[in-house]
């Protein structure tokens, strides 16, 4: 199997077993490999991402680390007469889509013999990494912002990872982890190409579940942009391998308190390197002030004909209610897609009759403390 890392900026190539995740020019890596997606090779007996085993660049079957991730349902949602469907990514082993990335990343880490890692996360990725670390027998040290929902922090500790709570912003947490990574392997879900590779299976699954077709549009929460970038790469691969004949339009929704990608998109410029989060938000999962693959994401928004909007906390609360009234218990971050969808229809980026898939990324069971605060303490309901 051919696999190597390539700098997305200068094109310099590196072997996959190096212990750093950025090029000497400072830019992130992409993974280049020669796995091809063939419909005939989908293993229909396997009800997880590993049904696409032949398309996943892990060399040895023996190193696969799985908890049965992926294979999540797609259901219709009724809202304002729109033609919308929801992909229940929160129906995952640890309660979020990040399990796809963690499964492939830890399979790779086991393959190259890594024994302990450092990771930083606003919550969900830290939870996933802790669970897959436990499954793989790899020790994990997870750095989280102090404001992370209590449920997620407890979950990380329960899996046996060492939890380090960091005061300050999400950015301060990243810095603390990078410092700790000087002596350990840095398994950052935002930077690691194998994590991205795992998330790509979401595009494979959407296409297979829609009988080898693509929806017109996909709307998803947008923070650091890992999911957005991965979906784009996954659909690109399916297009290259002749499985689909177009890429769906990809739409991202940011919190108005932290929206560097939105600003880069509407101003036609770069991400402001000095961008600081404007204030607190209940959308803790999408507070990424310095998105790693921002250039690639802005390029993908333009290439697919997508767009980016922002929503307020008040709008997120309304969105949560819409979902809850139909039985979907998601975390506040995931709910951004409802109001986001409405705004895309208002600006005529999406027609209400078009088939649009919303990705529900994380479970509300992890953020019950926050939901209680929103609906019972703040509003006295
Ligand atoms: Zn470079």
């Amino acid at each position: 199997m051919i696999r190597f890392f390539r700098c997305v900026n200068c094109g310099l190539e590196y072997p996959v077993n190096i212990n750093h995740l950025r090029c000497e020019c400072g830019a992130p890596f992409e993974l280049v490999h020669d796995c091809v997606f063939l419909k005939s090779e989908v293993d229909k007996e396997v009800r997880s991402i590993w049904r696409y085993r032949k398309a996943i660049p892990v060399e040895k079957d023996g190193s696969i680390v799985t908890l049965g991730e992926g294979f999540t349902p797609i259901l219709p949602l009724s809202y304002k007469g729109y033609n919308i469907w929801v992909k229940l990514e929160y129906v995952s082993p640890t309660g979020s889509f990040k399990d796809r990335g963690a499964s492939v990343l830890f399979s790779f880490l086991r393959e190259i013999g890594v024994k302990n890692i450092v990771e930083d996360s606003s919550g969900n990725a830290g939870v996933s990494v802790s669970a897959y670390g436990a499954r793989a027998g790899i020790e994990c040290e997870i750095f989280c912002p102090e404001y992370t929902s209590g449920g997620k922090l407890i979950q990380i500790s329960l899996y046996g990872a060492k939890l380090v709570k960091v005061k300050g912003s999400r950015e301060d947490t990243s810095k603390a982890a990078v410092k700790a990574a000087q002596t350990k392997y840095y398994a950052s879900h935002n930077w690691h190409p194998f994590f991205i590779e795992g998330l790509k299976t979401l595009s494979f699954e959407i296409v297979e579940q829609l009988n080898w077709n693509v929806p017109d549009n996909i709307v998803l929460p947008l923070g650091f942009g890992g999911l957005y970038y991965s979906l784009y790469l996954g659909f690109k691969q399916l297009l290259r391998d002749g499985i689909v004949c177009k890429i769906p339009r990809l739409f991202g929704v940011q919190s108005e308190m932290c929206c560097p990608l939105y600003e880069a998109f509407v101003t036609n410029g770069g991400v402001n390197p000095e961008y600081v989060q404007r204030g607190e938000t209940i959308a803790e999962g999408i507070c990424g002030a310095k998105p790693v693959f921002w250039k690639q994401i802005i390029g993908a928004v333009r290439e697919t004909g997508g767009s980016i909007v922002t929503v307020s906390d008040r709008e997120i609360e309304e969105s949560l209610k819409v979902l809850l009234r139909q039985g979907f218990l998601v975390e506040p971050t995931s709910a951004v897609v409802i109001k986001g969808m409405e705004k895309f229809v208002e600006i005529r980026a999406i027609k209400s009759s078009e088939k649009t898939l919303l990705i529900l990324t994380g479970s509300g069971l992890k953020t019950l403390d926050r939901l209680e605060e929103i609906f019972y303490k703040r509003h006295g309901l």
Side-chain angles (χ1 to χ4, degrees):
M1 185 185 292
I2 297 169
R3 1 173 248 188
F4 56 89
F5 290 160
R6 183 169 61 197
C7 170
V8 297
N9 177 42
C10 71
L12 206 59
E13 294 172 5
Y14 294 80
V16 291
N17 59 354
I18 49 164
N19 60 359
H20 58 93
L21 293 177
R22 61 167 89 191
C23 176
E24 57 187 39
C25 78
F29 296 138
E30 60 185 347
L31 176 66
V32 181
H33 63 77
D34 60 353
C35 296
V36 174
F37 192 104
L38 290 173
K39 279 189 209 175
S40 58
E41 285 183 345
V42 174
D43 187 345
K44 299 219 159 90
E45 301 293 308
V46 181
R47 300 172 76 84
S48 78
I49 62 167
W50 295 96
R51 64 199 275 110
Y52 310 116
R53 170 71 187 96
K54 292 279 168 59
I56 298 174
V58 166
E59 283 180 340
K60 299 174 202 139
D61 285 347
S63 61
I64 291 174
V65 183
T66 180
L67 289 165
E69 54 293 322
F71 216 67
T72 60
I74 292 180
L75 296 173
L77 178 88
S78 102
Y79 186 61
K80 301 202 165 187
Y82 299 162
N83 180 13
I84 45 180
W85 298 74
V86 282
K87 175 88 170 141
L88 310 190
E89 280 295 281
Y90 67 90
V91 185
S92 296
T94 77
S96 91
F97 72 97
K98 307 267 186 184
D99 292 346
R100 297 175 183 272
S103 175
V104 173
L105 174 60
F106 276 84
S107 301
F108 168 71
L109 294 180
R110 199 145 81 163
E111 203 169 85
I112 62 168
V114 169
K115 296 279 183 270
N116 51 52
I117 62 104
V118 177
E119 149 83 323
D120 59 288
S121 159
S122 58
N124 282 328
V127 168
S128 273
V129 161
S130 307
Y132 285 81
R135 183 82 172 149
I138 294 173
E139 269 179 45
C140 302
E141 187 175 2
I142 313 289
F143 289 73
C144 288
E146 211 176 34
Y147 60 72
T148 304
S149 293
K152 293 180 188 172
L153 297 176
I154 292 165
Q155 210 180 346
I156 289 170
S157 301
L158 286 172
Y159 289 126
K162 185 181 168 198
L163 173 67
V164 183
K165 288 191 253 179
V166 182
K167 279 200 176 111
S169 68
R170 175 70 182 84
E171 194 54 30
D172 294 325
T173 301
S174 290
K175 282 183 194 156
V178 168
K179 204 171 162 201
Q182 284 167 355
T183 53
K184 286 181 183 169
Y185 187 94
Y186 186 36
S188 165
H189 67 282
N190 287 316
W191 287 82
H192 209 296
F194 276 86
F195 196 92
I196 302 273
E197 203 60 36
L199 297 185
K200 274 169 63 181
T201 60
L202 178 55
S203 1
F204 302 165
E205 202 176 287
I206 290 169
V207 168
E208 190 193 357
Q209 286 174 325
L210 298 182
N211 206 16
W212 306 107
N213 288 304
V214 292
D216 295 307
N217 314 296
I218 297 180
V219 179
L220 60 143
L222 184 62
F224 274 105
L227 180 59
Y228 190 102
Y229 182 48
S230 312
L231 274 173
Y232 169 73
L233 291 179
F235 284 114
K236 275 290 254 202
Q237 183 177 340
L238 294 172
L239 188 66
R240 182 202 70 188
D241 295 344
I243 306 296
V244 298
C245 46
K246 66 167 186 172
I247 298 180
R249 291 188 288 269
L250 299 176
F251 292 87
V253 188
Q254 296 216 283
S255 157
E256 64 178 21
M257 285 299 162
C258 190
C259 51
L261 289 166
Y262 169 76
E263 291 195 353
F265 176 67
V266 293
T267 58
N268 254 328
V271 171
N272 181 352
E274 299 303 316
Y275 186 92
V276 228
Q277 192 179 327
R278 292 180 183 134
E280 283 186 18
T281 166
I282 52 174
E284 63 182 15
I286 46 171
C287 285
K290 286 186 182 170
V292 177
F293 291 98
W294 70 271
K295 277 187 191 162
Q296 289 68 32
I297 291 164
I298 298 301
V301 177
R302 304 237 181 265
E303 187 187 326
T304 69
S307 185
I308 303 175
V309 291
T310 64
V311 292
S312 68
D313 273 14
R314 171 57 68 152
E315 289 171 325
I316 297 173
E317 290 172 22
E318 288 167 20
S319 303
L320 276 167
K321 277 188 208 157
V322 171
L323 289 165
L324 284 164
R325 296 295 176 265
Q326 291 184 53
F328 301 108
L329 176 63
V330 300
E331 63 172 303
T333 303
S334 305
V336 300
V337 292
I338 300 293
K339 273 288 163 184
M341 166 77 191
E342 201 174 322
K343 289 187 178 185
F344 290 126
V345 172
E346 274 165 23
I347 61 170
R348 302 206 172 131
I350 291 181
K351 286 193 193 122
S352 57
S353 58
E354 288 170 346
K355 184 163 191 166
T356 302
L357 184 68
L358 314 184
I359 312 292
L360 299 183
T361 50
S363 171
L365 289 175
K366 295 200 248 194
T367 56
L368 285 177
D369 51 346
R370 198 125 301 173
L371 293 169
E372 184 188 24
E373 201 181 297
I374 294 168
F375 290 113
Y376 295 94
K377 294 182 183 157
R378 202 180 307 167
H379 299 318
L381 298 174

